[in-house]
Amino acid sequence: LYAQSPFVLIPTPAFGAETAKDFIEKAQAAADPITYATTGAGTLQFLTMETLKRDHNFKAAHVAYRSPPQIATDIVGGHVVSSFSETGAALTLIQDGKIKALGITASTRHPALPQVPTLAEALGLPGFEAVSWHVLMAPSATPRPIVDRLHAAMTKITADAAFQKRVSDVGLMPLAPRSIADIEKYIKSERDRWSKVVTELGLAGTL
């Protein structure tokens, strides 16, 4: 488990939201449901926005896209109001000032976007995190000595400063090495957590 991919809340500039709280207030006051884009129903971005809708009582209509870069481009163009975008897909546009990120779904700020608060900070949600993750896997029948050797090699690679900078530069966040047991525990906890969210939102059997 060597990196996580957080999402950034990005509205189209014409929406006029300067903070995450502004975004929610404007969405609550909108005469019609605002639109939000993701790469598909059931994705983590979709579940995050659906949770935000439920918890803050506003209406938003989902628009499915094929690619994250197209979402970011259409946010700039005003074709869709908002998105929880993959950070890497929107990073250059944010850094160039073409769109503003109102919050990031990681538990800590992104090194490439230190000015963007975490969603936990922006909305007062202690412990909130919604991230996809990057993990090196092998077939279950792989002999344990080989698994341990691969794990040791990846631990050395991911601890390298140049690797961590490269990960950050493409919009991901490097993670400190963990034991195989801890990685397995984390994956199970994430599966259980988001399965519960799907059930709570009444989406079980619809995705």
Side-chain angles (χ1 to χ4, degrees):
L1 185 66
Y2 60 91
Q4 61 181 203
S5 179
F7 311 113
V8 281
L9 175 59
I10 51 172
T12 189
F15 195 59
E18 292 297 319
T19 66
K21 287 184 177 180
D22 278 348
F23 173 82
I24 288 171
E25 289 171 0
K26 287 180 179 295
Q28 290 169 335
D32 298 310
I34 65 168
T35 52
Y36 76 95
T38 78
T39 50
T43 61
L44 200 53
Q45 300 98 306
F46 174 88
L47 294 176
T48 302
M49 185 64 86
E50 289 295 313
T51 301
L52 207 63
K53 283 169 52 180
R54 178 198 64 187
D55 294 347
H56 295 277
N57 194 30
F58 65 89
K59 295 181 179 179
H62 178 236
V63 182
Y65 275 71
R66 288 188 176 183
S67 74
Q70 187 61 51
I71 291 174
T73 300
D74 277 8
I75 289 284
V76 175
H79 302 294
V80 65
V81 171
S82 63
S83 177
F84 272 110
S85 168
E86 290 186 13
T87 301
L91 185 60
T92 300
L93 293 171
I94 296 168
Q95 292 173 329
D96 290 347
K98 293 182 179 179
I99 49 177
K100 182 173 184 178
L102 307 182
I104 192 165
T105 61
S107 58
T108 59
R109 296 195 182 200
H110 195 291
L113 298 170
Q115 79 282 10
V116 178
T118 65
L119 213 61
E121 293 174 301
L123 296 178
L125 302 171
F128 178 84
E129 181 182 76
V131 296
S132 64
W133 28 269
H134 295 247
V135 59
L136 179 66
M137 293 184 170
S140 59
T142 305
R144 185 62 189 224
I146 294 177
V147 172
D148 289 340
R149 183 178 177 185
L150 287 169
H151 182 260
M154 280 299 290
T155 296
K156 182 177 180 180
I157 291 167
T158 57
D160 183 77
F163 173 86
Q164 293 178 4
K165 182 179 185 304
R166 176 60 179 159
V167 167
S168 297
D169 287 347
V170 297
L172 304 177
M173 296 179 73
L175 295 173
R178 305 186 189 193
S179 69
I180 291 173
D182 284 344
I183 294 168
E184 291 172 341
K185 186 183 299 183
Y186 174 76
I187 291 173
K188 182 180 185 304
S189 69
E190 283 286 279
R191 183 182 296 116
D192 292 345
R193 175 191 172 197
W194 290 106
S195 294
K196 183 179 178 182
V197 169
V198 168
T199 301
E200 290 175 348
L201 291 173
L203 299 171
T206 66
L207 300 175

